[in-house]
Amino acid sequence: MNADGESGQRAAPQYCPYCGDEDLRPEPISHRAWHCRSCARVFEVSFVGLKLKADA
């Protein structure tokens, strides 16, 4: 992990959340940023955590 608590591994999306296209490229502005070459949007993907079942 780096100083920000991030692992440095890039989560790879399968498609653009805006247009659905699969032509995505890593964006150098952030290790979480991706550029969709179809709609020209840049978006970030991040892992928030795991939702554990509540005790019954």
Side-chain angles (χ1 to χ4, degrees):
M1 283 194 193
N2 63 21
D4 296 327
E6 299 166 345
S7 70
Q9 294 182 358
R10 190 181 288 265
Q14 301 298 312
Y15 56 88
C16 174
Y18 298 99
C19 72
D21 199 85
E22 297 177 353
D23 190 7
L24 305 175
R25 300 287 186 260
E27 185 66 25
I29 61 172
S30 166
H31 79 278
R32 295 184 305 221
W34 290 86
H35 172 230
C36 175
R37 293 177 64 165
S38 179
C39 70
R41 287 183 170 99
V42 175
F43 60 93
E44 288 191 351
V45 177
S46 65
F47 177 73
V48 176
L50 296 174
K51 177 90 174 174
L52 302 176
K53 291 182 180 179
D55 292 330

